[in-house]
Amino acid sequence: DIEKYIIDMNSANNPVNRASVLVFSRLVSDKKYKMHELPEHYRIKFSDGRMTRLFKRIRVKSRYLYSEEASVDLISDNIVEQLKDIQEMLEPYDPVDILNFDETGLYYEQQPTRSISKTQLGGSKKSKNRFTIDLLTNADGSYKGHPIIIGKNKNPRGFKTQKSLLRRMTVGNDTYVEYHHSPSAWMNSKIFTEYMTRLDRSFKYNNRKAAILLDNTYVHKINKEFDNIKLIFLPANTTSKLQLLDAGMYLHNHYI
């Protein structure tokens, strides 16, 4: 009964915690199995230890709720129509020429949220200092563009000893990173336009035409046409399920 309850709640995208499982367990034991009518020494005591052993036996545990997948409705009429349009636009392209571009954030000063200790420890204020990391890869994994790093400082101290990091390397060379700066350390239209212009020039030199899938944030919607690149925007609020880079797959598999 408890395992079925957890599965049903998960299927409905309803979070489940230990307290709710305890309430359900006691309710079922009384209503279905008449546990309250049994002598006290026969009644099941739903202690923390018993619940922990039960969770281990049915192979469930508390997990973080990642991204916004539970809010995505891929079967709505509007989303289905947009996906059909995208599919038609991608038909002329081979998987090697279908690329995905996306940003992620690295909060490099934030401390871990958990610690091994004998007593309760106080946390510290979370730092908001970050880098934006932009990644580009294709559908079959044969092309991995160099990462773009965006920070707040124009000339970070580390570049004084590692000047090669500042170089604008050949597009697609994943040995180096490309650094930019902006007041908020976020991607902006200027940086995005410059990068796509150089990427288009590189693809034109190699006689390659490519389609790039992106989320529909405003910085990606630039007023410029490219000869060898077609920008295709995914439907709003669907990238957590439709965009592989949104799941961090490229970052973990290639760099870590």
Side-chain angles (χ1 to χ4, degrees), residues 136 143-146 168-174 178 194-203 206 208 229:
L136 177 72
Y143 178 89
K144 299 180 178 68
H146 64 278
R168 298 290 195 273
M169 303 307 298
T170 302
V171 174
N173 185 342
D174 57 8
E178 177 179 328
E194 290 177 355
Y195 174 71
M196 285 297 160
T197 300
R198 290 189 295 108
L199 187 65
D200 180 65
R201 192 181 304 127
S202 174
F203 284 177
N206 290 286
R208 177 182 185 182
I229 290 177

CSV table of all heavy atoms in Angstrom, one decimal, residues 136 143-146 168-174 178 194-203 206 208 229:
chain,number,residue,atom,x,y,z
A,136,LEU,N,27.9,24.5,-26.8
A,136,LEU,CA,27.4,24.2,-28.1
A,136,LEU,C,27.8,22.8,-28.5
A,136,LEU,O,29.0,22.4,-28.5
A,136,LEU,CB,27.9,25.2,-29.2
A,136,LEU,CG,27.5,24.9,-30.6
A,136,LEU,CD1,26.0,25.3,-30.8
A,136,LEU,CD2,28.3,25.8,-31.6
A,143,TYR,N,30.4,16.9,-32.6
A,143,TYR,CA,30.9,18.3,-32.6
A,143,TYR,C,30.7,18.9,-31.3
A,143,TYR,O,29.5,18.9,-30.8
A,143,TYR,CB,30.2,19.1,-33.7
A,143,TYR,CG,30.6,20.6,-33.7
A,143,TYR,CD1,31.7,21.0,-34.5
A,143,TYR,CD2,29.9,21.5,-33.0
A,143,TYR,CE1,32.1,22.3,-34.5
A,143,TYR,CE2,30.3,22.9,-33.0
A,143,TYR,CZ,31.4,23.3,-33.8
A,143,TYR,OH,31.7,24.6,-33.8
A,144,LYS,N,31.7,19.4,-30.6
A,144,LYS,CA,31.6,20.0,-29.3
A,144,LYS,C,32.4,21.4,-29.4
A,144,LYS,O,33.6,21.4,-29.5
A,144,LYS,CB,32.2,19.2,-28.2
A,144,LYS,CG,31.4,17.8,-28.0
A,144,LYS,CD,32.1,17.0,-26.9
A,144,LYS,CE,31.3,15.7,-26.7
A,144,LYS,NZ,31.5,14.8,-27.9
A,145,GLY,N,31.6,22.4,-29.5
A,145,GLY,CA,32.3,23.8,-29.6
A,145,GLY,C,33.0,24.1,-28.3
A,145,GLY,O,32.7,23.6,-27.2
A,146,HIS,N,33.9,25.1,-28.4
A,146,HIS,CA,34.6,25.5,-27.2
A,146,HIS,C,33.6,26.3,-26.3
A,146,HIS,O,32.7,26.9,-26.7
A,146,HIS,CB,35.8,26.4,-27.6
A,146,HIS,CG,35.4,27.7,-28.2
A,146,HIS,ND1,35.0,27.8,-29.6
A,146,HIS,CD2,35.2,28.9,-27.7
A,146,HIS,CE1,34.7,29.0,-29.9
A,146,HIS,NE2,34.8,29.7,-28.8
A,168,ARG,N,40.8,34.4,-28.8
A,168,ARG,CA,39.6,34.0,-29.6
A,168,ARG,C,40.0,32.8,-30.5
A,168,ARG,O,40.6,33.1,-31.5
A,168,ARG,CB,39.0,35.2,-30.4
A,168,ARG,CG,38.6,36.3,-29.6
A,168,ARG,CD,37.3,36.0,-28.8
A,168,ARG,NE,36.6,37.2,-28.3
A,168,ARG,CZ,36.9,37.8,-27.2
A,168,ARG,NH1,37.9,37.3,-26.4
A,168,ARG,NH2,36.2,38.8,-26.8
A,169,MET,N,39.8,31.6,-30.0
A,169,MET,CA,40.3,30.5,-30.7
A,169,MET,C,39.4,30.2,-31.9
A,169,MET,O,38.3,30.7,-32.0
A,169,MET,CB,40.4,29.3,-29.8
A,169,MET,CG,41.3,29.5,-28.6
A,169,MET,SD,43.0,30.1,-29.0
A,169,MET,CE,43.6,28.7,-30.0
A,170,THR,N,39.9,29.3,-32.8
A,170,THR,CA,39.1,28.9,-33.9
A,170,THR,C,37.8,28.3,-33.4
A,170,THR,O,37.7,27.5,-32.5
A,170,THR,CB,39.8,27.8,-34.7
A,170,THR,OG1,41.1,28.4,-35.2
A,170,THR,CG2,39.0,27.4,-36.0
A,171,VAL,N,36.7,28.6,-34.0
A,171,VAL,CA,35.4,28.2,-33.6
A,171,VAL,C,35.3,26.6,-33.7
A,171,VAL,O,35.7,26.0,-34.7
A,171,VAL,CB,34.2,28.8,-34.5
A,171,VAL,CG1,32.9,28.1,-34.2
A,171,VAL,CG2,34.2,30.3,-34.3
A,172,GLY,N,34.9,26.0,-32.6
A,172,GLY,CA,34.8,24.6,-32.6
A,172,GLY,C,36.0,23.9,-31.9
A,172,GLY,O,36.0,22.7,-31.6
A,173,ASN,N,37.1,24.7,-31.6
A,173,ASN,CA,38.2,24.1,-30.9
A,173,ASN,C,37.9,24.1,-29.4
A,173,ASN,O,37.9,25.1,-28.7
A,173,ASN,CB,39.5,25.0,-31.2
A,173,ASN,CG,40.7,24.4,-30.6
A,173,ASN,OD1,40.7,23.6,-29.7
A,173,ASN,ND2,41.9,24.9,-31.1
A,174,ASP,N,37.7,22.9,-28.9
A,174,ASP,CA,37.2,22.8,-27.5
A,174,ASP,C,38.4,22.7,-26.5
A,174,ASP,O,38.2,22.4,-25.3
A,174,ASP,CB,36.3,21.6,-27.3
A,174,ASP,CG,37.0,20.3,-27.7
A,174,ASP,OD1,38.2,20.3,-28.0
A,174,ASP,OD2,36.3,19.2,-27.8
A,178,GLU,N,36.5,30.7,-24.4
A,178,GLU,CA,36.4,32.1,-24.9
A,178,GLU,C,35.8,32.9,-23.8
A,178,GLU,O,34.7,32.6,-23.3
A,178,GLU,CB,35.5,32.1,-26.2
A,178,GLU,CG,35.3,33.5,-26.7
A,178,GLU,CD,34.5,33.5,-28.0
A,178,GLU,OE1,34.6,32.5,-28.7
A,178,GLU,OE2,33.7,34.4,-28.2
A,194,GLU,N,27.9,38.4,-31.8
A,194,GLU,CA,29.3,38.3,-32.2
A,194,GLU,C,29.7,36.9,-32.4
A,194,GLU,O,30.4,36.5,-33.4
A,194,GLU,CB,30.2,39.0,-31.2
A,194,GLU,CG,30.1,40.5,-31.2
A,194,GLU,CD,31.0,41.1,-30.1
A,194,GLU,OE1,31.6,40.4,-29.4
A,194,GLU,OE2,31.1,42.4,-30.1
A,195,TYR,N,29.3,36.0,-31.5
A,195,TYR,CA,29.6,34.6,-31.5
A,195,TYR,C,29.0,33.9,-32.7
A,195,TYR,O,29.6,33.2,-33.4
A,195,TYR,CB,29.2,33.9,-30.2
A,195,TYR,CG,29.4,32.4,-30.2
A,195,TYR,CD1,30.7,31.9,-30.2
A,195,TYR,CD2,28.4,31.6,-30.3
A,195,TYR,CE1,30.9,30.5,-30.2
A,195,TYR,CE2,28.6,30.2,-30.3
A,195,TYR,CZ,29.8,29.7,-30.3
A,195,TYR,OH,30.0,28.3,-30.4
A,196,MET,N,27.7,34.2,-32.9
A,196,MET,CA,27.0,33.5,-34.0
A,196,MET,C,27.5,34.0,-35.4
A,196,MET,O,27.6,33.2,-36.3
A,196,MET,CB,25.5,33.8,-33.9
A,196,MET,CG,24.8,33.0,-32.9
A,196,MET,SD,24.9,31.2,-33.2
A,196,MET,CE,24.6,30.5,-31.6
A,197,THR,N,28.0,35.2,-35.4
A,197,THR,CA,28.5,35.8,-36.7
A,197,THR,C,29.8,35.0,-37.0
A,197,THR,O,30.1,34.6,-38.2
A,197,THR,CB,28.8,37.3,-36.6
A,197,THR,OG1,27.6,38.0,-36.3
A,197,THR,CG2,29.4,37.8,-37.8
A,198,ARG,N,30.7,34.8,-36.0
A,198,ARG,CA,31.9,34.1,-36.3
A,198,ARG,C,31.7,32.6,-36.6
A,198,ARG,O,32.3,32.0,-37.4
A,198,ARG,CB,32.9,34.2,-35.1
A,198,ARG,CG,33.4,35.7,-34.9
A,198,ARG,CD,34.5,35.7,-33.9
A,198,ARG,NE,34.0,35.5,-32.5
A,198,ARG,CZ,34.2,34.4,-31.8
A,198,ARG,NH1,35.0,33.4,-32.4
A,198,ARG,NH2,33.8,34.2,-30.6
A,199,LEU,N,30.7,32.1,-35.9
A,199,LEU,CA,30.3,30.7,-36.1
A,199,LEU,C,29.8,30.5,-37.6
A,199,LEU,O,30.1,29.5,-38.3
A,199,LEU,CB,29.3,30.2,-35.1
A,199,LEU,CG,28.9,28.7,-35.1
A,199,LEU,CD1,30.1,27.9,-34.7
A,199,LEU,CD2,27.7,28.4,-34.2
A,200,ASP,N,29.0,31.4,-38.0
A,200,ASP,CA,28.4,31.4,-39.4
A,200,ASP,C,29.6,31.5,-40.4
A,200,ASP,O,29.6,30.8,-41.4
A,200,ASP,CB,27.4,32.5,-39.5
A,200,ASP,CG,26.8,32.5,-40.9
A,200,ASP,OD1,26.1,31.5,-41.3
A,200,ASP,OD2,27.0,33.5,-41.7
A,201,ARG,N,30.5,32.4,-40.1
A,201,ARG,CA,31.7,32.5,-41.0
A,201,ARG,C,32.5,31.2,-41.1
A,201,ARG,O,32.9,30.8,-42.2
A,201,ARG,CB,32.5,33.7,-40.5
A,201,ARG,CG,33.6,34.1,-41.5
A,201,ARG,CD,34.4,35.3,-40.9
A,201,ARG,NE,33.5,36.4,-40.5
A,201,ARG,CZ,33.6,36.9,-39.3
A,201,ARG,NH1,34.4,36.4,-38.4
A,201,ARG,NH2,32.8,37.9,-39.0
A,202,SER,N,32.6,30.6,-39.9
A,202,SER,CA,33.4,29.3,-39.9
A,202,SER,C,32.7,28.2,-40.7
A,202,SER,O,33.3,27.5,-41.5
A,202,SER,CB,33.6,28.9,-38.5
A,202,SER,OG,34.2,27.6,-38.4
A,203,PHE,N,31.3,28.1,-40.5
A,203,PHE,CA,30.6,27.1,-41.2
A,203,PHE,C,30.5,27.4,-42.7
A,203,PHE,O,30.6,26.5,-43.5
A,203,PHE,CB,29.1,27.1,-40.7
A,203,PHE,CG,29.0,26.4,-39.4
A,203,PHE,CD1,27.8,26.3,-38.7
A,203,PHE,CD2,30.1,25.8,-38.8
A,203,PHE,CE1,27.7,25.6,-37.5
A,203,PHE,CE2,30.0,25.1,-37.5
A,203,PHE,CZ,28.8,25.0,-36.9
A,206,ASN,N,33.7,26.2,-44.3
A,206,ASN,CA,33.7,24.7,-44.4
A,206,ASN,C,32.5,24.1,-45.2
A,206,ASN,O,32.3,22.9,-45.2
A,206,ASN,CB,33.6,24.1,-43.0
A,206,ASN,CG,34.9,24.3,-42.2
A,206,ASN,OD1,36.0,23.7,-42.5
A,206,ASN,ND2,34.9,25.2,-41.2
A,208,ARG,N,29.3,24.3,-44.7
A,208,ARG,CA,28.4,23.5,-43.9
A,208,ARG,C,27.2,24.4,-43.5
A,208,ARG,O,27.4,25.5,-43.0
A,208,ARG,CB,29.2,23.1,-42.6
A,208,ARG,CG,28.3,22.3,-41.6
A,208,ARG,CD,29.2,22.0,-40.4
A,208,ARG,NE,28.4,21.2,-39.4
A,208,ARG,CZ,28.9,20.8,-38.2
A,208,ARG,NH1,30.2,21.2,-37.9
A,208,ARG,NH2,28.2,20.1,-37.4
A,229,ILE,N,23.6,29.4,-41.0
A,229,ILE,CA,23.0,29.0,-39.7
A,229,ILE,C,21.6,29.4,-39.7
A,229,ILE,O,21.2,30.5,-40.0
A,229,ILE,CB,23.8,29.7,-38.5
A,229,ILE,CG1,25.2,29.1,-38.4
A,229,ILE,CG2,23.0,29.5,-37.2
A,229,ILE,CD1,26.0,29.8,-37.3
